[in-house]
Amino acid sequence: EAVSGVASGTDDASSRTPQDLWKYVERFSADLPTRPAQLSARPAGQKDVVLITGTTGGFGCDALEHLLRDETVARVYAFNRKGTEAMERQRRQFGSRGLDEALLDSEKFVMVEAALHEPGFGIAPELLEEIRGSVTHILLNGECCSCGAVFFVLLLIVLWRSLDGELQYVHHVVRGRSPEHAQLRRPRAKLPVH
């Protein structure tokens, strides 16, 4: 209610309290799945499998290039928004940054156009299971993870769908079959000080 009030312009600033924020915490944590009963240990020496978001932007593009060159990484799933011609944009970004576009043709690289707010990211169930069973690291980058700034309530309005998307990643991590949880990381950006 506090968020919709701010969005519609009918909100009184005094009505936003810490309890209002706890309502959102409860909403986003209510449906968390339980861990699978059967977990499988990651074999010693197994290479990393990384899911990264937002690779068509500058930072994400550079991070992707490093991951594709990294010998300790077996596979990279690059999640980008569905319907945005992500692979073409990725190639253009690599070219404009002077990066080796041949890396994008590697068997190691999988471009995934996903709808972050849809259950299962709106991707084929077989691909989702493949990802769920193999990902060891998740790097949230770009729009889908930019809700770490100071003005939390305002960001809830603007990034409501992004929060739903991040929750999908949490669901993915929890449902993984490895006894160790996949590592969920978010790059930290420095905010300008005025």
Side-chain angles (χ1 to χ4, degrees):
E1 292 124 22
V3 172
S4 63
V6 173
S8 66
T10 61
D11 180 57
D12 173 8
S14 64
S15 70
R16 291 190 306 269
T17 67
Q19 290 76 20
D20 292 328
L21 295 178
W22 279 112
K23 288 178 190 175
Y24 301 111
V25 170
E26 289 170 8
R27 176 187 183 254
F28 284 107
S29 62
D31 293 348
L32 289 178
T34 58
R35 296 280 287 159
Q38 295 291 331
L39 300 177
S40 53
R42 182 176 174 193
Q46 180 182 7
K47 291 184 176 186
D48 294 332
V49 177
V50 179
L51 183 157
I52 182 171
T53 64
T55 62
T56 60
F59 178 82
C61 189
D62 290 343
L64 175 61
E65 189 255 353
H66 286 283
L67 290 168
L68 293 174
R69 290 187 183 282
D70 189 334
E71 295 294 323
T72 66
V73 175
R75 178 153 286 185
V76 178
Y77 295 97
F79 271 50
N80 288 281
R81 287 181 304 242
K82 187 178 273 189
T84 61
E85 300 177 342
M87 193 62 187
E88 292 79 13
R89 290 185 321 129
Q90 191 71 71
R91 286 191 184 286
R92 279 195 307 271
Q93 185 70 279
F94 260 57
S96 71
R97 298 177 83 74
L99 304 176
D100 183 2
E101 292 179 54
L103 291 169
L104 300 175
D105 297 321
S106 163
E107 289 183 21
K108 181 180 196 172
F109 176 65
V110 180
M111 174 63 77
V112 180
E113 288 198 31
L116 301 182
H117 60 282
E118 291 180 18
F121 304 110
I123 63 176
E126 303 80 32
L127 178 58
L128 182 61
E129 278 307 309
E130 175 187 319
I131 292 168
R132 221 178 243 155
S134 64
V135 167
T136 59
H137 297 76
I138 298 175
L139 294 166
L140 298 179
N141 170 59
E143 276 185 36
C144 66
C145 68
S146 55
C147 54
V150 177
F151 302 107
F152 184 73
V153 173
L154 293 176
L155 286 171
L156 280 175
I157 298 161
V158 176
L159 301 171
W160 196 258
R161 291 186 110 179
S162 295
L163 289 172
D164 280 336
E166 285 198 13
L167 186 59
Q168 286 291 322
Y169 290 110
V170 172
H171 279 245
H172 167 76
V173 169
V174 171
R175 287 185 178 140
R177 301 210 187 330
S178 172
E180 303 93 25
H181 290 288
Q183 298 177 25
L184 187 60
R185 301 275 169 95
R186 195 195 293 135
R188 297 271 183 220
K190 291 191 177 190
L191 297 175
V193 178
H194 297 282

